[in-house]
Amino acid sequence: MAFLQVNDLSFTYPNQTKPALDGLTFSVERGQFVLLCGSSGSGKSTLLRQLKPTLRPHGAQSGQLLFDAAPLDTLSLRTQTERIALVLQSPENQVVTDTVWRELAFGLERLGCEADTIRLRVAEMAGFFGITHWLEREISTLSGGQLQILNLAAVMTLSPALLLLDEPTAMLDPVAATDFLTLLRRINQELGTTIFLSEHRLEELLPLADHVIFLEGARLLCQGSPAQVGHTLLAQNHPLAQALPAAMQLWSACDGQGDCPLTVRDGQRWLDHFAQTHPLSPLPTEPHPPKRAAVLTAEKLYFGYELRQPLLKNLSIELEQGELFALLGANGAGKSTLLKLLAGLDKPQRGSVRTTAKLGLLPQSPQTLFLKKTLGEDLTDSLRLAPPDEKTPQDLLAQAIALCRLDGLLERHPFDLSAGEQQRAALAKLLLWSPQVLLLDEPTKGLDAVFKAELAAILAALQRQGVSILMASHDVEFCARCADRCALLFDGALVSQGTPRSFFPQNRFYTTAANRIARAHLPELVTLDELLCACGAEPAPPNAPPIQPPRPAPEPPSAPPLSPATPPTAVRRRSLSRSHFAALIVLLLVPLTVLAGRFLLDDNYYFAISMLIVLELLLPFFLLFEGRRPQARELAVLAVLCALGVAGRAITPFFSQFKPVAALSILAGVGLGPASGFLVGAVSMLLSNMLLVQGPWTPWQMFAMGLVGFLGGLLFQNRKNKWLLPVYGFVATFALYGTIMNLFSALSWHRTLTPSLVLAYMAAGLPADLTHGLSTALLLLFLAPAMSEILKRIRDKYGM
């Protein structure tokens, strides 16, 4: 029986008609090293997350997943956590603590392991990975490569049987990527851990794999050994064949006889044998274009963060018009910092930056550029920044969509796109602004080989139009192919720069596979195309960008269809009945507890009363959520809302009636349900009083604020009205919250309440209640539209 068996697996995201995975069937044997590859958006990340149930995206799934002969969904949460580990693409997204030691111990502590067991496993893993000297270091001081190694070591302390990795080397420099892949080989060979890895960079990974699975258009195109899959792609002249190792492409283009070489070493041996009977042609003369005018100049830049050593020291750089300048260097060398200084986002501590051109920066994280609910709206909104042009805005938008292959993605939320799709979308948005100088930070991150070739053609076309490009990248092959000049950033300065033929041959790691293969015969050779020409073979024709005739701008998307995984009627009926039962508990049990504490205990045990009310408030929460086993992502959202409420109240201590808690409680109730609104309001008041001051008023505040959020959820859940919600916020805080707290004030001093006494306290509290009501209405007026959209997206995306 296979260790991992996938039978007819299909998956469709909510509000999407096209499946992200379509009928996948394959198996993985115990201890195999499996490489998952395919074009951007083919479903690689989605497939990996299907194999980690706790991180599985919300949507409609069908098919069968068997892990060690047992249905994957039947495994307990502890078993899933211990036996299946996932390493994400961005190292910083997986770190949860502040020091290396704590990060290594976190997973074991979460599972309740004994202290001796934790120390033993941490010591063992630190020794295996060679990071014993890191244990006391702050995580903030680690480079990107060190962070990724730490993430790998942290999940391996749990001794998983299956290790999933989603493009783990995408953010790493060549040296760090080599170190990381060496560790993966040791884990697979020495520990016997099954590895299932998704990656676009196949040069180093294909020789490591035992089995390759290739996805295209959400379906399985082919699978088998690396040689078999490579033969299939080459025989079909598949566009992604250009991502195969240089040795394999060279062997196929020349004669394709004998054993297929996969590594640089095998490629060198093959070339030595081939050159004995086929003399290699000399390289053509490298062109040297005349020096052009400088459009961006930086002189003697110094810059550092906080009290650390300067990251950039006496750095000078000049970018010429129409030039593509590639900047290489290790993780943490300062490439992204330099681009921010040149773009004006940061100010150098010394030195100067001069430019007269319009600059555009593509950041390393493209998500920071997206502002709208759909990609189509985001691109349309970017046209406001486009300069006057002979083309109409519709023509500009159509051309950008065609250039970056965004058809079919315009109705998707930008954050729901794959990493490669986000990178293409961010590039399209940048091109709409028509900058004269492009600053690109890791532009090929997450891109497949096909779009890399298209990106090269796009950048070449921009250069012909006079656009200057400064690109920071770890993609050595892309830089060698496209750049006019290359430079290495080390120790805060440029230590080497020149044309690709003068720059790459002098390096051992920061060089191309073709240069390593042919170094003994043609030392100055850099690209695979040059190697193919030297061997008498025809280089693969470049893929031109898919420029299409301008089309009308996309129309606003219509209302999306309901997800097949969401039976709305049944769920709504069940939730409503539970909400009514929770309301009965809140409206009866909590007030009785408050009054009992006042009249029977004389508020002498208000801490005990507060805790009793907390338990009573949690009872509806358990009734509404625990019955369907809430995921950690739901609890995390509620915790964040509570934290915002506490922080909002803590930063306004001198404005006691300006409580953001009320607005957040109402929004939580409207967006996530009545019980969520009650929980956010009650817990926020309890925790914020720990920062301010506790007293007998705490249980009253918890009940009153929770009730405001609860009733808001009952009355306005899933309803949009710009003005009605602020009106409710004013009435609820002014009348409901104010009345309850005024009653508390009266009962604090009087055993017997009379109408005149109550009216007196109400009149005394009128200014504070009015301020509270108006501030809540004002906050809801400004916060409700954006917060409602955010909570609706969270609810729909994660199935809350």
Side-chain angles (χ1 to χ4, degrees), residues 174-503:
V175 177
T178 300
D179 292 341
F180 188 84
L181 295 178
T182 301
L183 286 172
L184 285 184
R185 174 185 287 178
R186 289 188 61 201
I187 290 171
N188 179 245
Q189 295 182 352
E190 298 179 21
L191 303 181
T193 305
T194 304
I195 293 179
F196 200 121
L197 181 145
S198 164
E199 189 57 82
H200 286 300
R201 294 159 59 171
L202 305 184
E203 184 71 48
E204 297 86 4
L205 273 166
L206 205 64
L208 299 179
D210 302 314
H211 191 75
V212 179
I213 297 174
F214 195 97
L215 300 184
E216 182 173 293
R219 296 186 176 185
L220 181 64
L221 177 67
C222 59
Q223 62 174 319
S225 68
Q228 290 172 337
V229 171
H231 289 164
T232 301
L233 297 179
L234 291 168
Q236 296 179 0
N237 197 22
H238 195 282
L240 287 181
Q242 56 191 304
L244 295 172
M248 178 180 281
Q249 295 188 59
L250 176 65
W251 169 83
S252 175
C254 292
D255 58 14
Q257 301 297 318
D259 295 333
C260 174
L262 291 178
T263 65
V264 168
R265 181 194 62 183
D266 296 338
Q268 290 173 342
R269 293 174 178 173
W270 182 92
L271 185 61
D272 290 341
H273 179 75
F274 180 83
Q276 293 177 2
T277 56
H278 302 78
L280 302 184
S281 302
L283 295 178
T285 304
E286 185 179 28
H288 293 281
K291 186 174 177 60
R292 292 157 288 190
V295 294
L296 177 64
T297 303
E299 294 182 351
K300 299 182 179 180
L301 297 183
Y302 280 80
F303 186 82
Y305 293 101
E306 299 178 355
L307 299 179
R308 296 171 58 185
Q309 290 293 326
L311 188 60
L312 302 178
K313 296 176 287 188
N314 200 32
L315 186 147
S316 298
I317 189 172
E318 183 180 84
L319 181 65
E320 299 177 5
Q321 184 175 13
E323 178 187 33
L324 198 160
F325 194 123
L327 190 65
L328 296 98
N331 291 100
K335 301 185 297 299
S336 298
T337 299
L338 175 59
L339 293 185
K340 290 179 181 178
L341 293 175
L342 298 177
L345 299 181
D346 285 327
K347 186 176 180 181
Q349 293 157 351
R350 273 192 286 170
S352 62
V353 176
R354 300 191 304 273
T355 182
T356 57
K358 180 181 179 182
L359 276 71
L361 172 64
L362 178 66
Q364 194 170 115
S365 177
Q367 291 185 351
T368 58
L369 295 181
F370 302 128
L371 304 173
K372 300 297 183 179
K373 294 184 294 182
T374 67
L375 178 58
E377 292 178 14
D378 216 310
L379 295 177
T380 303
D381 182 69
S382 300
L383 290 173
R384 295 183 296 104
L385 301 176
D389 194 90
E390 66 275 5
K391 296 181 181 179
T392 65
Q394 289 78 10
D395 291 342
L396 288 173
L397 181 58
Q399 185 177 26
I401 292 171
L403 281 172
C404 298
R405 290 198 289 120
L406 300 177
D407 289 297
L409 304 177
L410 300 178
E411 296 184 7
R412 301 270 301 275
H413 194 288
F415 287 9
D416 290 340
L417 304 177
S418 70
E421 290 168 342
Q422 287 182 355
Q423 199 75 0
R424 287 167 15 212
L427 178 63
K429 189 168 183 177
L430 191 65
L431 293 178
L432 288 174
W433 301 340
S434 300
Q436 286 83 47
V437 175
L438 278 176
L439 306 176
L440 307 179
D441 196 354
E442 298 292 345
T444 63
K445 172 176 60 69
L447 298 182
D448 57 60
V450 174
F451 192 76
K452 282 184 184 180
E454 295 174 355
L455 175 61
I458 293 172
L459 297 182
L462 292 173
Q463 287 181 262
R464 290 192 293 270
Q465 298 171 15
V467 176
S468 305
I469 303 165
L470 178 59
M471 174 178 65
S473 178
H474 294 312
D475 194 334
V476 173
E477 305 286 344
F478 187 81
C479 294
R481 175 180 178 181
C482 301
D484 299 312
R485 279 194 297 156
C486 301
L488 182 67
L489 179 59
F490 174 76
D491 194 28
L494 301 182
V495 296
S496 173
Q497 60 178 305
T499 63
R501 282 198 189 171
S502 63
F503 176 80

